[in-house]
Amino acid sequence: MSAEKRNAKTLPVPGICSLAWLLFMQPLRLNEMYRSWGLRDEPSVLALWPRIRDRDPVVLALLGRFALLLFVVTPLVTSCVVGFLHALGFSMRWLDAARGLTAGVLGGVTLGVWISVTGGVAGGVGGGVALGVARGLADGVSPVEHGGTIAALAVPTAFGISVAYARELGRGIVITGIPMLKEMPRPVGTLAHYMIAIIVIEEASGGWRYAPPSDIPRYLATYAAASLFYLSFYLRLPLWPLEFTATIIVAILSHVFPARIPTLARYLPFHWHDLSYFPFPGLRSFLLTAAEHHPDLTRTLLAEAAIYRGHKGTAARVSTELQARNLEHAAQHRLFARAADFDFPFLPPPDTLDAASYLRTFHAAARDLAAGDSDQRQRRLALERARKTLEAFLSSTTRRNDILEKRLLPTARLWLDVLQDERRRLAAEEAQHPQIPRVFIAGPPLSPDRPEEQFLFKGRTDLAKLIAHDLDPDRRGVLLVVGQRRMGKSSLRNWLPRLLGTGTEVLIADFQALSGRPHRHHPHRWLLELVLDACPDAPPPPSTNVWGEGLEWLRKRDEALGDRRLLLVIDEVERVEDGIRAGWTDTDFLDFLRAAGDSLRRIRILLLTAHPLHRLGPHWVDRLISTTTRSLTYLDPRSAEELVRKPIPDFPDIYPEGAVERILRETHRHPYLVQKVCDELCKLLNEHGGRRRVTADELDTVLDAVIEEKLFDELWAQRTDDERLALQRLASAEGPLPADLAMRVLAREGVVELSADHATLAVPLFGAWIELTKGKPGHD
């Protein structure tokens, strides 16, 4: 059994009265029921024939009820109306009434068979009644007479009700098959329906073509009245006073009996009438009251109200008001962690926000305010970022026509008032219990774009001068910078634009993510794209993957640069070797690097890696034999001491005598280890009283903790077996040892220091780690 038939069993076909109500008052709900039954696009009888032939119970029941509406209910209603008019003294012709009824019903049948069953029934019922009444009036009665006026009013009214359903679903009843009218805007289409109804009147009542010219003004007045009457029913105006009265009553009762709101919500008129064109006074008040007591129900009601034309605006304004109230509640009660996740009933999930959404302002501010709540400096920075974000929103130059934006203006001012209060509280806290600023950053690369990191990047100016020298146009070859893990290669990459000045434009390709890039098989195409971005007037590079054609394109760009100079910085270039070993790339990229280094003058390539070329493989050494290699090693003593003592201006003196020297000695001025030790010291001090000098025991505690760093695991994993044996010997020795071949190799990479042909470990903390961990399971 199909899914459609299974759904049909759970949703039975409504009875005659319910179906008639749905047809004329709740077409949107009826359309949803159609979809649940597997009926799409308002099918005709012909389209339903396969299901009729298979005796589908839903289709047979639906067609049976529609047939009763069209062939039984419509004649009964027409007879009642004609009889009522006859009782009022109007001269009625029952035979003509029957003819009009028959014409309307046959028109509905024809429409239902060929175009739309639902539209045919709606048109047949409304049109049958209208034509039956109009044709039943006595011959010779014109619209300006008493009976003609009734016809002019009754026919458009009934016809308007019959066409409203089809107009709501974007289909016509009379004009469905006319492509030119089918695409008309709604007001024009409505007028077209009405004009067709007028033609029906004229054909039914004799028309005003036989009237004298003196009667034309009265004809026009009659048609104007009929038009207003027709439009009032088309827009459901006679129902509106009843509906808004009911809504106001429901709203008042919700204030008095908030516990009964779920029950009261069932009586909202938009639950029973889909075609309400005008808003209901009181609906906003009810929804806001319901939101205070039943937020889940209110979200459902808002979603339902937003479907209907007359209530879309109310739903949007209520949603906006509730979102603003959520944000104001978050600020007043300092619920910034929840606001950072938009964990409130009427705020959308952050990942669903449009890029231009005004709510992003508050999401960004809340994220800043929720971060660094235990560290005074981080809280101060967060408050400043949030202040700038909110002030930028307030000072934006938009016209404030957007409902949400306009409502959020006072919300932003409230947030700024709360932020100001938070700043005062933070200042009082800093005065009473000053902390050590947590400014050290151990791990992530430093960036000149982040103000809090401006002073943490120390030294490296000598290396930058060497790189600038290697970039001279009269020099050739690929540049290579080798440094241990976490020695600061990515930080150097980020700072190169400042260190090299405006004469060199730095283009960065981080090969850490190379395996997930579209051009991982041919990495040189990534570099071509970077150069194209820097040279927007250049033609696109060749689409072929042959690196020789790409290099020829680069040569032309190189010649056209003039005084400009481009430096392509490839970070984590060793990922190419991963690809070579895994088989998703090959050594062609190395050939491209060598050829590019030999032939380009203004476009140069700088490789950053943690491995010397010989550790990557012989194919690297063979192809990059002319590479200029520079080492990124430990900080110089002056820069390292400045990093420890003055990471930022006005950093407090927290070190006792000899502590700075010990930190530099144990870390050997390794930038990551220096920052890690200092950061742990600041954290420890803040946890035990705040701003003061560190004790010798606290320094011991921190150094012992840093021994467990994963950095040492990485350094150990890169070594050969002979080198590991040499490191173990050095770690266990009480003094320098005569240098063997393995120690000399390690000395070239900065792991070991040589003095008078004797070797010692460069970083004492690494030696302590070796003594503590090597030989134990899980560390080899």
Side-chain angles (χ1 to χ4, degrees), residues 286-485:
F286 174 81
L287 292 173
L288 291 176
T289 303
E292 298 176 5
H293 304 279
H294 305 278
D296 291 338
L297 172 64
T298 306
R299 283 198 298 268
T300 302
L301 293 175
L302 287 172
E304 293 174 350
I307 297 174
Y308 309 116
R309 177 180 296 103
H311 312 303
K312 284 181 179 179
T314 301
R317 286 188 291 272
V318 170
S319 295
T320 296
E321 178 63 28
L322 293 175
Q323 288 172 354
R325 291 184 182 185
N326 281 164
L327 293 172
E328 290 165 358
H329 175 77
Q332 291 166 346
H333 297 276
R334 309 315 196 253
L335 302 176
F336 297 120
R338 286 184 61 190
D341 296 327
F342 271 17
D343 183 22
F344 292 95
F346 302 101
L347 291 175
D351 56 358
T352 65
L353 292 177
D354 184 78
S357 173
Y358 305 114
L359 293 175
R360 282 191 173 275
T361 296
F362 297 88
H363 180 245
R367 289 182 61 188
D368 282 330
L369 295 175
D373 57 353
S374 63
D375 182 79
Q376 293 171 350
R377 179 176 182 273
Q378 293 300 323
R379 284 163 58 193
R380 192 185 320 113
L381 293 174
L383 288 171
E384 183 63 18
R385 289 193 300 269
R387 181 188 65 80
K388 291 181 179 179
T389 300
L390 293 168
E391 287 182 349
F393 170 71
L394 289 174
S395 62
S396 58
T397 57
T398 56
R399 297 183 178 180
R400 310 296 184 192
N401 291 330
D402 187 274
I403 297 175
L404 180 59
E405 182 186 26
K406 187 176 181 179
R407 175 59 183 86
L408 290 178
L409 291 177
T411 305
R413 297 188 186 99
L414 173 64
W415 273 53
L416 284 173
D417 291 340
V418 172
L419 289 181
Q420 186 62 29
D421 184 56
E422 285 291 302
R423 292 174 70 179
R424 287 192 293 266
R425 291 172 56 186
L426 177 59
E429 180 183 327
E430 289 176 328
Q432 294 176 5
H433 305 287
Q435 290 183 341
I436 308 299
R438 294 286 302 277
V439 297
F440 296 99
I441 299 177
L446 303 176
S447 172
D449 297 328
R450 293 189 284 267
E452 62 270 23
E453 299 176 10
Q454 293 290 327
F455 301 98
L456 292 178
F457 186 79
K458 305 293 185 181
R460 311 310 189 193
T461 55
D462 290 342
L463 179 58
K465 291 178 181 178
L466 291 175
I467 294 174
H469 171 72
D470 296 333
L471 291 176
D472 285 343
D474 58 344
R475 300 180 67 85
R476 294 287 191 276
V478 174
L479 309 181
L480 178 69
V481 172
V482 182
Q484 297 176 24
R485 289 293 183 193

Side-chain angles (χ1 to χ4, degrees), residues 135-154:
R135 293 297 298 270
L137 291 172
D139 290 340
V141 180
S142 70
V144 296
E145 301 292 342
H146 185 61
T149 302
I150 294 294
L153 296 177

